[in-house]
């Protein structure tokens, strides 16, 4: 497996990754529908989110990465510009691994690559909204522990922060994602 930056021309494969990764959560579009039920008519929100993020000022092309196996894109993650008050920070997401490549370390490899790249760029922290069972293994803690809360109160329970080497404990307050996160 190779982790590399997203390139022009990867868009369709990245869409397919997120379509596959989130199909089960999105109307059981992964072929696990009950017999006779209709196929879903739209993509999971993650597909559209990545498209919207690419056209937003918060997009950071250097921090959009794919996992490639045998010249086939099997995973994707992106980090985008976010803010905590006046402090520029990063938001992680979406991250997705094609269903047939899950449980083989692809997601972990993408997470380590993304966090390592952000750290190398002297970013102070990464915030995300996600699983309380999965993300702590990468050093994420509830944002409230660091005095950082999402600007949408109903997100607080699953909002997490990963402090990086350039973290400054004075960074406190409300976390604001790039605009496309609110357009879903």
């Amino acid at each position: 497996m190779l982790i590399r930056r997203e390139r022009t021309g990867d868009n369709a494969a990245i869409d397919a990754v997120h379509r596959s990764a989130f199909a089960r959560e999105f109307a059981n579009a992964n072929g696990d529908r009950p017999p006779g039920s209709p196929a879903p008519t739209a993509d999971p929100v993650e597909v559209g989110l990545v498209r919207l993020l690419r056209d937003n000022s918060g997009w950071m092309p250097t921090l959009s990465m794919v996992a490639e196996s045998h010249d086939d894109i099997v995973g994707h993650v992106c980090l985008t510009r976010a803010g905590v008050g006046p402090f520029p920070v990063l938001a992680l997401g979406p991250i997705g691994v094609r269903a047939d490549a899950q449980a083989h370390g692809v997601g972990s490899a993408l997470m380590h690559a993304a966090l390592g790249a952000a750290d190398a760029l002297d970013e102070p922290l990464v915030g995300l909204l996600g699983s309380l069972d999965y993300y702590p293994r990468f050093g994420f803690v509830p944002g409230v522990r660091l005095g950082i809360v999402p600007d949408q109160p109903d997100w607080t329970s699953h909002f997490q922060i990963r402090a990086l080497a350039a973290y400054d404990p004075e960074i406190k307050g409300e976390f604001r994602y790039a605009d496309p996160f609110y357009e879903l």
Side-chain angles (χ1 to χ4, degrees):
M1 177 176 43
L2 168 72
I3 305 293
R4 65 167 174 79
R5 282 178 52 184
E6 173 184 334
R7 296 182 194 138
T8 304
D10 288 341
N11 294 9
I14 290 169
D15 286 354
V17 162
H18 291 295
R19 197 171 287 119
S20 173
F22 296 100
R24 198 161 287 182
E25 287 86 17
F26 187 76
N28 289 321
N30 199 28
D32 296 335
R33 294 183 310 273
S37 66
T41 57
D43 281 331
V45 296
E46 291 80 3
V47 175
L49 177 58
V50 173
R51 291 178 189 162
L52 289 170
L53 286 169
R54 280 192 192 104
D55 293 332
N56 183 269
S57 62
W59 183 249
M60 301 182 73
T62 56
L63 295 175
S64 180
M65 301 175 187
V66 298
E68 209 175 59
S69 178
H70 305 290
D71 298 323
D72 202 16
I73 293 175
V74 296
H76 173 256
V77 65
C78 61
L79 294 164
T80 53
R81 181 58 64 209
V84 175
F87 300 101
V89 299
L90 295 174
L92 187 139
I95 180 171
V97 176
R98 217 171 56 193
D100 63 342
Q102 291 177 3
H104 297 290
V106 176
S108 291
L110 284 166
M111 284 295 297
H112 289 298
L115 293 171
D119 204 29
L121 292 172
D122 290 327
E123 295 289 344
L125 62 86
V126 175
L128 63 76
L129 190 62
S131 169
L132 300 173
D133 295 325
Y134 183 74
Y135 294 105
R137 71 182 76 176
F138 302 104
F140 283 87
V141 298
V144 294
R145 282 195 201 165
L146 300 177
I148 301 170
V149 295
D151 61 354
Q152 302 294 311
D154 55 327
W155 294 351
T156 302
S157 66
H158 286 78
F159 180 72
Q160 300 168 63
I161 295 291
R162 169 63 151 77
L164 302 173
Y167 172 70
D168 180 343
E170 290 186 25
I171 301 174
K172 292 189 183 318
E174 222 171 54
F175 186 98
R176 172 93 182 147
Y177 283 92
D179 289 341
F181 282 92
Y182 304 95
E183 298 171 12
L184 302 175

